[in-house]
Amino acid sequence: MPLTLPKQLAEKIETGFITYMELFNTYTRLAPKYFSEKAWHATHLNNKQRLRLYKDLLFPLAQECKEMLGDQASDFSSWKEIKFQYQLLITKRPDLELAETFFNSVIRKAYPKLTIDEDLMFVMEGFDSCTVRESEELLRTYPSFLGLEKNIRQILDDYDFGAPFMDKEQDIKFLIASVKKVILTRYRVGPETKTQILKSVFYRNKAAYLIGRTFLGHKWMPFIIPVVHGKKGVFVDTLIFDPNLMSSMFSFTRSYFMVEAEIPSQVVGFLNSVIPHKKIHELYNAIGFNKHGKTLFYRDFLHHLEASDDQFEVAAGIKGMVMTVFTLPSLNIVFKMIKDHFEPPKTMTRQEVRGKYKLVSLHDRVGRMADTHEFEYFKIPIGRISADLMIELRKTTNSHLIITDNHLIIKHLYTERRMEPLNLFLEHCSTEEGMKAAEDYGRSILQLAQANIFPGDMMTKNFGLTRQKRVIFYDYDEIEFLTDMNFRVKPKAETYEQIYAPEPWYSIAKNDVFPEDFKRWMIGRKDIKDHFLDYHKDLFDPVYWQGVQQRIAAGELIHAFPYPDEIRFRPDEKI
């Protein structure tokens, strides 16, 4: 093999990565423009185009590499030399870690049936530094000697949202009152006190967010300032200090932010300083670099395997008809595989199931659907697979398994955050806990509807609870767009034959839905059911569902606030 070919391929991959980053940043820079213009449909389209960008560039590039290598596409020494040449090219890049992940993606597509290989890929030795440098390029700093009001006024002056404020003076009063109530009643301002805010604004859906921290009481106190549009201009919607709320806003159940990040590791480092219990891979996901988030997730997974000795086992809960799910008890992740055969009444194909997961990855998850990572040729030490799990995998997913002396290799799977299934939670929780969970269960369905998602199978077994007891939907094989459904009032039986008919006596089309039937099976516990039925009357009303459909069909994009209405400064203000 000529020595020039590895260098040629390395340069081609580097050029592909540069193209990707340029286009990624082009889409990202459109976010403030669309926000200022209230171009919400363009915002959603822009987000989807940025999400599709990676694979749109990756597949033709990988195919070109395969063609250039010919018979040597699966030659170990050739790819090792390509990696070496590529490493020389990218060593001084400010986004080095993303360049490494891009190479991993190319080789996985160009090298037939390649499992994760540390010699050929950037796995454990890859760049992994997210320390914060307090540079003027990254942050704006506001010293305490200016005083609270001047600092807040300066902050609002420093950030241009491309539209006039509806009432800036009132926003300043709201912010001052909030800081005094939450912070200054507990801490005293000193000469060392200062506030820092990322220069880059975070955009998602109909909101813009300032992310900052204040050094007070010998520690950093993080905060988020959301800014939204009203009918008469932009306004500050609230001031968030609650770390749980901040964590939720960067949750695996949320869509990715649009935020300019010249040095991504620096932005992630700052975010890690204000939301410290979020893993680094989650923060990369949150700012749109989900492929690198996947790399870091896998790196964490390997570290966890080395530090643990428990066995993978079948996940708790009712077994699904479409997916086989397993987990490692010491890790808060589930692994989901599409079964070889689906039990009746499921009639979909494997490709249709993958299409549903793709839909979720591109759609606004409104804090109610779990993000996933998709893996091919995923390798697990064979000694860590429990006997019961191996039996289950061989019985349900045998066509996706490759078994070697040392490893179980799975051709295709999804990883997802592990949650406690709602049906299991409702079996042991108190009445009060159950009522709160049931309320949020119904709320999650209604919020998904507002995002044009109909879950399909809404049994409690398909929903889980996060650490903060937020209800999340995670079974995607039957989801549909809400606007494709036909919500009907159930016909009333009038004759003896209709009343006692063993089957429905009226016609039912494929996408017909009868909301009043939900009452029969949504919540089973008697001490919770009546409260649930009364609290969520809209769920069982076809007219309500039709009304949401009409709003979506009319072009309205309904904003799902990632924080409760009661903390909004102007809760009655529509956006």
Side-chain angles (χ1 to χ4, degrees):
M1 179 179 181
L3 188 61
T4 55
L5 186 55
K7 187 174 181 181
Q8 187 180 353
L9 283 164
E11 289 174 349
K12 183 172 287 295
I13 296 170
E14 184 202 26
T15 299
F17 174 68
I18 291 170
T19 301
Y20 165 69
M21 288 304 301
E22 287 175 347
L23 290 172
F24 182 95
N25 290 330
T26 297
Y27 286 123
T28 302
R29 292 186 187 110
L30 286 171
K33 175 180 182 292
Y34 291 150
F35 176 81
S36 69
E37 297 171 351
K38 297 197 286 187
W40 307 131
H41 286 281
T43 293
H44 278 246
L45 178 60
N46 188 47
N47 183 55
K48 287 186 178 182
Q49 288 174 326
R50 196 182 74 166
L51 284 167
R52 292 191 180 107
L53 175 62
Y54 198 89
K55 285 190 174 180
D56 287 347
L57 293 174
L58 175 66
F59 282 93
L61 174 60
Q63 183 59 35
E64 194 173 353
C65 291
K66 283 178 68 174
E67 291 171 358
M68 290 177 67
L69 284 163
D71 294 340
Q72 295 175 312
S74 57
D75 180 69
F76 183 92
S77 59
S78 298
W79 276 106
K80 193 165 186 179
E81 180 62 24
I82 295 167
K83 178 188 175 185
F84 174 75
Q85 293 293 335
Y86 184 78
Q87 202 164 14
L88 294 177
L89 293 171
I90 66 170
T91 185
K92 294 183 178 180
R93 289 193 63 89
D95 49 11
L96 170 62
E97 74 279 21
L98 306 184
E100 290 176 342
T101 285
F102 191 81
F103 179 87
N104 291 349
S105 298
V106 173
I107 190 173
R108 289 297 302 277
K109 295 300 179 186
Y111 193 127
K113 299 181 181 180
L114 177 68
T115 59
I116 302 295
D117 191 304
E118 294 181 27
D119 290 322
L120 299 185
M121 301 166 64
F122 299 94
V123 182
M124 300 301 284
E125 88 285 19
F127 175 82
D128 189 17
S129 176
C130 290
T131 55
V132 183
R133 297 175 187 169
E134 297 186 17
S135 65
E136 292 183 2
E137 290 78 18
L138 182 70
L139 304 167
R140 285 191 173 100
T141 300
Y142 303 88
S144 62
F145 66 79
L146 290 177
L148 178 59
E149 181 178 346
K150 285 186 177 180
N151 270 329
I152 289 176
R153 188 176 297 278
Q154 187 62 53
I155 289 169
L156 296 189
D157 286 344
D158 283 344
Y159 289 88
D160 180 9
F161 298 102
F165 276 86
M166 182 175 76
D167 188 346
K168 183 184 285 189
E169 293 305 314
Q170 184 59 56
D171 287 339
I172 291 170
K173 290 177 183 177
F174 279 137
L175 289 169
I176 290 172
S178 186
V179 171
K180 287 182 175 179
K181 178 182 178 182
V182 178
I183 301 298
L184 299 185
T185 54
R186 294 183 292 163
Y187 300 97
R188 180 175 296 178
V189 174
E192 78 286 354
T193 300
K194 61 181 176 181
T195 294
Q196 295 178 329
I197 302 178
L198 277 170
K199 282 189 172 181
S200 293
V201 179
F202 287 62
Y203 294 91
R204 184 168 64 195
N205 296 334
K206 292 184 177 182
Y209 301 90
L210 304 183
I211 314 292
R213 63 184 186 179
T214 297
F215 191 76
L216 197 62
H218 306 291
K219 64 180 179 181
W220 286 108
M221 303 192 65
F223 62 85
I224 295 179
I225 302 175
V227 175
V228 295
H229 274 277
K231 291 182 179 179
K232 298 179 181 179
V234 298
F235 60 90
V236 174
D237 200 40
T238 188
L239 177 56
I240 299 169
F241 292 108
D242 185 338
N244 288 328
L245 273 181
M246 292 184 66
S247 177
S248 174
M249 292 173 70
F250 283 82
S251 166
F252 63 96
T253 64
R254 302 280 178 193
S255 300
Y256 306 141
F257 287 103
M258 290 277 191
V259 54
E260 291 189 50
E262 183 177 348
I263 305 178
S265 63
Q266 288 291 290
V267 174
V268 168
F270 184 83
L271 292 174
N272 189 45
S273 76
V274 299
I275 317 175
H277 58 274
K278 279 288 178 190
K279 292 186 178 294
I280 296 297
H281 72 81
E282 294 176 296
L283 296 174
Y284 270 101
N285 288 344
I287 63 172
F289 297 114
N290 56 314
K291 296 301 179 183
H292 187 62
K294 177 179 171 180
T295 294
L296 295 182
F297 164 81
Y298 189 77
R299 195 172 292 168
D300 288 348
F301 172 72
L302 293 180
H303 284 308
H304 185 87
L305 285 182
E306 290 180 0
S308 61
D309 59 6
D310 53 336
Q311 291 195 313
F312 290 83
E313 59 185 35
V314 178
I318 300 171
K319 292 181 181 179
M321 291 184 284
V322 172
M323 308 292 281
T324 292
V325 185
F326 64 94
T327 189
L328 186 67
S330 61
L331 186 65
N332 66 338
I333 297 294
V334 294
F335 303 82
K336 304 173 75 170
M337 299 174 62
I338 303 174
K339 291 184 175 182
D340 288 337
H341 305 287
F342 305 150
E343 299 173 16
K346 302 288 186 180
T347 59
M348 62 195 63
T349 66
R350 159 181 289 276
Q351 200 56 41
E352 286 174 329
V353 175
R354 293 185 69 165
K356 302 291 186 182
Y357 276 78
K358 174 59 67 177
L359 187 158
V360 171
S361 73
L362 295 173
H363 202 79
D364 181 6
R365 294 190 295 279
V366 295
R368 294 299 185 176
M369 293 190 289
D371 196 10
T372 60
H373 284 307
E374 187 176 9
F375 286 91
E376 294 178 337
Y377 293 92
F378 192 89
K379 191 165 56 174
I380 300 174
I382 195 74
R384 301 291 292 273
I385 306 295
S386 70
D388 287 344
L389 175 58
M390 183 60 79
I391 292 170
E392 183 69 18
L393 294 177
R394 294 295 295 266
K395 183 173 68 174
T396 61
T397 62
N398 194 55
S399 70
H400 315 312
L401 309 179
I402 299 173
I403 300 174
T404 69
D405 291 341
N406 298 317
H407 291 96
L408 171 67
I409 299 170
I410 299 173
K411 296 179 184 177
H412 180 263
L413 61 72
Y414 298 97
T415 62
E416 185 178 283
R417 177 73 64 83
R418 185 172 68 199
M419 293 170 273
E420 182 176 9
L422 179 57
N423 62 309
L424 298 186
F425 177 80
L426 291 174
E427 288 178 4
H428 66 75
C429 67
S430 67
T431 298
E432 183 180 358
E433 290 172 329
M435 285 182 176
K436 288 182 179 178
E439 289 171 8
D440 204 43
Y441 163 57
R443 197 177 298 120
S444 70
I445 294 169
L446 294 174
Q447 288 179 347
L448 286 171
Q450 292 175 345
N452 199 20
I453 289 291
F454 182 68
D457 188 349
M458 295 186 290
M459 299 286 283
T460 53
K461 67 182 179 66
N462 297 323
F463 293 77
L465 275 80
T466 66
R467 177 177 56 87
Q468 298 175 15
K469 296 294 185 283
R470 183 175 174 84
V471 177
I472 307 299
F473 179 61
Y474 54 55
D475 191 346
Y476 306 142
D477 56 88
E478 287 195 17
I479 65 170
E480 300 285 350
F481 289 117
L482 187 82
T483 46
D484 290 339
M485 311 309 292
N486 181 31
F487 294 94
R488 295 175 54 188
V489 175
K490 195 170 183 179
K492 302 298 182 185
E494 296 179 353
T495 67
Y496 178 88
E497 290 77 11
Q498 290 173 348
I499 293 172
Y500 294 102
E503 300 290 337
W505 49 269
Y506 44 88
S507 62
I508 303 176
K510 178 184 176 183
N511 282 4
D512 282 354
V513 180
F514 301 95
E516 61 192 273
D517 282 346
F518 299 167
K519 295 179 181 179
R520 293 190 289 109
W521 48 262
M522 288 189 90
I523 295 289
R525 272 183 58 168
K526 292 182 179 179
D527 58 333
I528 299 171
K529 189 178 183 74
D530 287 344
H531 173 74
F532 174 74
L533 296 182
D534 183 64
Y535 189 89
H536 279 302
K537 292 177 182 178
D538 286 342
L539 269 175
F540 318 110
D541 182 2
V543 176
Y544 174 81
W545 291 91
Q546 291 164 5
V548 177
Q549 286 180 312
Q550 290 163 8
R551 292 171 67 187
I552 294 170
E556 182 179 352
L557 289 173
I558 305 169
H559 183 73
F561 289 95
Y563 42 83
D565 282 345
E566 53 264 30
I567 72 167
R568 296 184 64 205
F569 293 151
R570 302 173 177 90
D572 296 328
E573 187 72 33
K574 304 296 182 183
I575 73 168

